[in-house]
Amino acid sequence: MYLAGGAVRDQLMGHEPKDYDLATSARPDEVQALFPKSDAVGEHFGVIIVKGSRGSGEMIEVATFRTDGSYNDGRRPESVEFSSPEEDAQRRDFTINGLFQDPITEEIIDHVGGQKDLEAKVLRAIGEPEKRFEEDALRLLRAVRFAVRTGFEIEPETMAALKKCASLLAQISPERIRDEFSKIIVAKDRARGLDLLVKTGLIEIFLPEVLELIGCEQPPQWHPEGDVYVHTRIALSLLEDPPLHLALAVLLHDIAKPPTQTFDEEAGRIRFNGHDKLGAKMAKEILRRLRYPNQTIEEVSFMVSRHMTFMHVQDMRTAKLKHFMAADSFPMEIELHRVDCDSSNGFRDNYDFIHRKKEEFANEPLIPKPLMDGRDLMDDFDLSPGPQIGEILRAVQTEQLEGRLSDKEAAYVFVRESLLQ
Ligand code: ATP
Ligand code: MG
């Protein structure tokens, strides 16, 4: 029984493996006999899931050494055959993923030159790269993911095959593309990930809108860094360990600059009027197409729609500012704003202003409990249900957020004397 694939790679690189997969010459029924509580979810492929000890919730995959049969659809083999460790290594995708380790002696079993490539920091397909990408087109994105995650260079023949086979990615379901892409866009080296997706042509298959950002000129006084693509990739690189929604919002924040670009003759400058609102709409379409969950679609699109609002925070009335700051996504939006500035003109005045305000408002809830409700207005002011009630409640809330009303009595006086006289 050997440790296989990712866990061996991660350990040799000095990282704690996320999960441990085992490979064995024992047949699935023999594995099941050894671990009576196991699940034969992938029995057809020789994979048995064994639950970790003492209810740890850990799942260990135990797979019988196998050879994959022919691939007809570019996604999965028609059949598998049980075989030797050597053949099992050959069916794996990249040399650094093709290593085994004896868990007792810690000996490394390397049939694919994976150790040499780990040392040289090279990502190389096992066997003939083109053939391997034709067999399973998901490997195209996995190549980018592993290159970005390890920081390794992609070996030239593997790179050439990526470019040649990029269009095959269209065979893969949006859900599987989404899952790989999400890992690439949150990885530490996500800007390089984006560059690789562009350079290989893979992005054209699932996110062609990004290609439009290349060469989309911006006013140099605001954007000394260059075109919208350059701006976006620098902004992405400035994020630290971002949650997925933030990384997606940064990627898509200026996605509508190309279709909104105009030249203002009078002012002699380029403008992108409404790129935030159109960007929110485009973000929705893109994320829906990639089958992201609704909550992701809504939150990312919301952040894109508000990213220009930061330019006006210093002119806002307190009540409006508090409403703006009360959104659940606001902490992520501050980060989006920070990297938006730092990847262009570097102005931090709105960012600093928001931080001062956050401290100023820190002792009380941004949106405190209302001082009165509709019932109070109907009972104590003899008002009948209707739009007036809502208007009065909003006016009272504004006064409260501005700090001009702080208790119910004062709210009553305000309603009586300022709104209903
Ligand atoms: P991660 O840390 O992301 O889980 P991993 O290397 O464990 O990385 P998995 O997707 O869990 O990646 O797959 C486990 C192993 O199975 C890989 O290391 C690789 O050897 C093999 N493998 C997985 N998917 C493929 C594929 N599409 N084609 C060939 N081999 C694959
Ligand atoms: Mg794994």
Side-chain angles (χ1 to χ4, degrees), residues 128-313:
E128 282 176 52
E130 260 182 60
K131 207 167 130 241
R132 304 312 308 284
F133 294 137
E134 281 165 13
E135 278 173 3
D136 177 0
L138 190 68
R139 291 174 188 153
L140 297 157
L141 276 185
R142 286 174 59 88
V144 175
R145 161 155 69 101
F146 287 115
V148 168
R149 213 209 281 159
T150 55
F152 288 9
E153 285 302 318
I154 300 177
E155 175 274 328
E157 274 184 40
T158 303
M159 187 66 188
L162 278 173
K163 290 179 180 165
K164 193 158 172 206
C165 302
S167 63
L168 300 177
L169 187 65
Q171 302 168 345
I172 300 295
S173 72
E175 289 82 356
R176 296 177 81 206
I177 293 179
R178 171 199 68 201
D179 290 346
E180 286 296 327
F181 176 63
S182 297
K183 289 177 186 167
I184 295 170
I185 208 67
V186 300
K188 190 157 178 290
D189 220 354
R190 65 199 80 87
R192 176 172 171 243
L194 191 66
D195 287 344
L196 281 171
L197 291 172
V198 168
K199 192 171 156 194
T200 53
L202 287 165
I203 208 153
E204 198 176 336
I205 310 301
F206 66 96
L207 226 173
E209 292 86 348
V210 167
L211 294 175
E212 303 295 320
L213 307 180
I214 301 171
C216 182
E217 298 299 333
Q218 317 194 76
Q221 62 272 39
W222 293 101
H223 286 281
E225 75 281 8
D227 68 21
V228 183
Y229 181 80
V230 173
H231 167 64
T232 300
R233 77 176 294 295
I234 299 175
L236 274 172
S237 73
L238 294 173
L239 293 170
E240 282 161 38
D241 232 340
L244 176 64
H245 292 188
L246 175 57
L248 290 172
V250 170
L251 174 71
L252 299 174
H253 79 286
D254 280 347
I255 200 69
K257 276 193 168 177
T260 56
Q261 189 185 46
T262 54
F263 192 75
D264 182 339
E265 298 283 351
E266 221 161 283
R269 58 163 286 188
I270 299 166
R271 291 193 185 280
F272 303 101
N273 293 336
H275 79 275
D276 42 358
K277 295 293 168 267
L278 182 62
K281 189 165 162 270
M282 288 175 70
K284 266 190 191 175
E285 285 163 7
I286 290 167
L287 298 174
R288 204 174 287 137
R289 192 174 73 211
L290 286 169
R291 309 277 196 275
Y292 277 97
N294 278 336
Q295 208 243 335
T296 305
I297 299 172
E298 292 304 325
E299 188 159 67
V300 173
S301 154
F302 181 71
M303 289 194 270
V304 173
S305 78
R306 301 194 337 152
H307 81 277
M308 293 302 285
T309 310
F310 278 83
M311 310 306 160
H312 314 300
V313 287

Side-chain angles (χ1 to χ4, degrees), residues 4-10 16-21 61 66 68 71 75 88-100 126 132 135-140 142 145-146 149 176 180 183:
V8 183
R9 175 198 68 222
D10 290 347
E16 173 94 20
K18 173 163 81 15
D19 44 32
Y20 293 86
D21 297 334
E61 267 190 41
R66 68 174 199 258
D68 290 336
Y71 284 77
R75 285 189 297 243
D88 188 280
Q90 297 299 333
R91 73 164 177 89
R92 295 173 184 268
D93 46 8
F94 304 103
T95 60
I96 61 168
N97 288 348
L99 296 167
F100 298 114
I126 292 173
R132 304 312 308 284
E135 278 173 3
D136 177 0
L138 190 68
R139 291 174 188 153
L140 297 157
R142 286 174 59 88
R145 161 155 69 101
F146 287 115
R149 213 209 281 159
R176 296 177 81 206
E180 286 296 327
K183 289 177 186 167

Side-chain angles (χ1 to χ4, degrees), residues 336-397:
L336 167 57
H337 177 65
R338 176 181 70 83
V339 300
D340 195 9
C341 295
D342 286 1
S343 59
S344 52
N345 52 54
F347 298 151
R348 280 274 188 118
D349 50 335
N350 294 319
Y351 179 78
D352 293 340
F353 175 81
I354 283 290
H355 270 285
R356 284 201 302 280
K357 287 293 170 184
K358 261 181 76 171
E359 272 167 39
E360 192 182 316
F361 300 152
N363 297 326
E364 54 201 281
L366 273 175
I367 307 293
K369 212 169 141 285
L371 296 172
M372 56 168 51
D373 60 22
R375 205 54 281 149
D376 296 326
L377 291 174
M378 289 187 278
D379 291 352
D380 300 337
F381 292 89
D382 272 340
L383 295 177
S384 16
Q388 193 192 10
I389 302 259
E391 280 163 29
I392 292 175
L393 291 177
R394 268 191 296 281
V396 170
Q397 192 197 33

